[in-house]
């Protein structure tokens, strides 16, 4: 192992040698900037990462990803601002909340002039590239290079469009239209194909004299959890641990999530078992509907988790392929490696599937960072960060300053010291806009989360009348399915699984009033109020003090 003095001498000799060869000193400094790889898996929740110590940790689902926690820092309180793919990705790229960046739901798009992270990194002399799932409709033209899926992309043999390529695919269906689109079909499972693309760019396309920022985005483990055939026997003979709330949801929820006297229990929140008659995981897993309710739920859960974790296994193995390349090329320790999901995911908790909720399992993002030149190995932090903070942090780690138009905050100081700065944010804001959409039927809501408490307001109104609510095979305008408004409050220190809604408990009245005040102030400061949506604003006003 080289001593610090020897390292200094090696760098000095190299610097003098380059100078004598006529290489500009600023160019040498440029080469010393850290590379950055931002790895994101779709719907990879913290419960399915071993380092987070959930009920699934004993299955050792992510040995490679866990290395980032062992050799770097793990964020216990990293959250998304909207637990749905497109808005979350927009917040990551822009450093802004949904109303500021204009991407409120899955129909949102992000044109090149608002792709702020690569724009700022280009200014700092970085090569920028994005591979895999983009899901923001407009091509990622602000990046120096891209090879991305259309929309969600296919699990197998995906079509990818590449910057500068002239390939095209005929008879390809995109956004309900069929035609000829730029791109090429690549054989194999998407997790392997995306990693092939990143490795090819790292090896053969990038300018190796310059620092790079690579966004490596997996499709997996997004539904419908189509894993590579090589994993078909993985966990086959294992019984996956179940969350207690799969069977007994106790006092979680409210009339907003259950309906008056439970009248909407069969409609709101897609389920594992038969509870939701519109969409449940047993239907997707093709479980025999003639089984008893309990056996149907049990079999659906086991099949669901095994398919999900097989996709996770493919992600983890492909992350290892990236690590192997970095180590072989001597880049591992000069590369800041970040790993996250675009949001969390419900793995049967509260008998829910999918994401969208402000409940912990959906709102929490895994977030791990390795960079041994700055971060002490084995660090954990409970500092609150969210996905609008990622772009400012990356920019500052690259030597820049957070642009004034970004709403997020850089936590680069926290990475360096391992300690939460004294003035650091003590809460985070969340909002889900897509009221009762996509047969998952989650009511629209917003709220605030601190380290100790969570306050959620379900306002039960759409912001758009052109979305639709599905009932069986028929669809009707979304506004025909408004749901009851209600508040929920959870004491996360005493009730980390959110099993007891304490909103009506007088013992918490003062705390709830303070949280409402903080929530109102945060909504105003973030441009997240509802002046443009009078129907929503009326519900807020009518129910704020109830």
């Amino acid at each position: 192992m080289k001593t610090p003095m020897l390292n200094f001498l090696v760098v000095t000799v190299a610097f003098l040698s380059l100078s004598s060869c006529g290489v500009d000193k600023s160019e040498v400094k440029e080469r010393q900037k850290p590379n950055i790889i931002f790895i994101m898996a779709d719907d990879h929740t913290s419960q399915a990462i071993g380092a987070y110590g959930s009920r699934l940790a004993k299955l050792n689902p992510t040995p490679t990803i866990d290395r980032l926690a062992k050799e770097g820092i793990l964020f216990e309180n990293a959250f998304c601002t909207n637990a749905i793919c497109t808005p979350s990705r927009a917040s990551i790229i822009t450093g802004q909340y949904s109303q500021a960046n204009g991407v409120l739901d899955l129909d949102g798009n992000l044109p090149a002039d608002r792709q702020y992270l690569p724009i700022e990194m280009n200014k700092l002399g970085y090569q920028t590239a994005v591979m895999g799932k983009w899901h923001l409709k407009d091509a990622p033209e602000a990046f120096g290079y891209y090879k991305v899926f259309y929309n969600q992309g296919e699990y197998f043999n995906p079509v990818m469009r590449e910057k500068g390529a002239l390939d095209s695919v005929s008879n390809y269906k995109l956004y309900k239209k069929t035609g000829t689109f730029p791109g090429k079909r690549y054989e194999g499972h998407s997790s392997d194909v995306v990693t092939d693309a990143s490795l090819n760019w790292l090896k053969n396309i990038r300018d190796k004299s310059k620092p790079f920022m690579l966004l490596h985005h997996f499709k997996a483990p997004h539904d419908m959890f189509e894993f590579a055939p090589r994993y078909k026997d993985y966990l086959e003979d294992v019984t996956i641990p179940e969350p207690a709330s799969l069977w007994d949801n106790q006092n979680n929820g409210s009339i907003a999530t259950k309906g008056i006297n439970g009248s909407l229990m069969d409609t709101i929140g897609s389920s594992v078992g038969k509870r939701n008659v519109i969409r449940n995981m047993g239907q997707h897993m093709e479980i025999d509907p003639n089984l008893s309710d309990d056996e149907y739920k049990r079999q659906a859960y086991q099949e669901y988790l095994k398919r999900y974790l097989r996709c996770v296994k493919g992600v983890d193995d492909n992350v290892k392929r990236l690590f192997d390349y970095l180590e072989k090329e001597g880049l591992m320790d000069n590369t800041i490696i970040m790993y996250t999901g675009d949001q969390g995911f419900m793995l049967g908790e509260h008998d829910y599937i999918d994401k969208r909720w402000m409940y912990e399992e959906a709102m929490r993002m895994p977030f791990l960072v390795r960079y041994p030149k700055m971060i002490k190995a084995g660090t954990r932090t409970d500092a609150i960060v969210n996905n609008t903070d990622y772009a400012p942090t990356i920019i500052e780690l690259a030597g820049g300053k957070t642009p004034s138009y970004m709403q997020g905050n850089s936590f680069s100081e926290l990475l360096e010291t391992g300690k939460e700065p004294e003035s650091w944010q003590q809460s985070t804001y969340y909002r889900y806009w897509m009221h009762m959409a996509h047969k998952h039927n989650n009511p629209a809501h917003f709220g605030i989360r601190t380290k100790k408490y969570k306050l959620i307001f379900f306002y039960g109104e759409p912001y758009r009348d052109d979305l639709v609510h599905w009932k069986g095979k028929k669809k009707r305008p979304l506004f025909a399915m408004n749901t009851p408004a209600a508040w929920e409050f959870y004491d996360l220190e005493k009730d980390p699984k959110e099993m007891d809604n304490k909103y009506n408990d007088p013992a918490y009245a003062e705390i709830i009033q303070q949280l409402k005040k903080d929530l109102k102030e945060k909504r105003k400061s973030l441009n997240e109020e509802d002046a443009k949506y009078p129907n929503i604003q009326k519900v807020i006003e009518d129910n704020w003090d109830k």
Side-chain angles (χ1 to χ4, degrees), residues 51-71:
Y52 277 87
S54 77
R55 69 181 186 279
L56 304 176
K58 65 180 182 181
L59 301 176
N60 192 28
T62 51
T64 303
I65 296 166
D66 291 349
R67 178 182 171 187
L68 298 176
K70 183 179 180 181
E71 299 176 5

Side-chain angles (χ1 to χ4, degrees), residues 81 91 94-103 386 388-389 407-408 425 427-430 522 526 528:
T81 55
S91 288
T94 64
Q96 296 175 334
Y97 290 77
S98 294
Q99 290 205 58
N101 64 40
V103 181
N386 68 48
T388 68
D389 300 326
Q407 296 172 302
Q425 58 203 14
S427 65
T428 188
Y429 176 75
Y430 178 92
K522 191 172 281 287
L526 296 174
E528 283 288 326

Side-chain angles (χ1 to χ4, degrees), residues 402-464:
T402 301
S404 60
Y405 59 78
M406 288 191 175
Q407 296 172 302
N409 302 298
S410 168
F411 50 84
S412 59
E413 179 185 340
L414 191 158
L415 294 176
E416 187 168 6
T417 65
K419 298 179 181 180
E420 181 179 329
E422 288 185 11
S423 59
W424 190 249
Q425 58 203 14
Q426 296 302 300
S427 65
T428 188
Y429 176 75
Y430 178 92
R431 182 158 190 182
Y432 174 71
W433 292 80
M434 296 182 66
H435 179 67
M436 299 298 285
H438 294 166
K439 294 194 284 186
H440 288 292
N441 291 352
N442 292 38
H445 56 287
F446 60 74
I448 188 170
R449 193 218 194 265
T450 70
K451 290 182 182 179
K452 293 184 178 182
Y453 306 114
K454 181 181 292 183
L455 181 68
I456 311 172
F457 179 58
F458 290 90
Y459 55 88
E461 290 272 341
Y463 84 98
R464 288 170 52 185

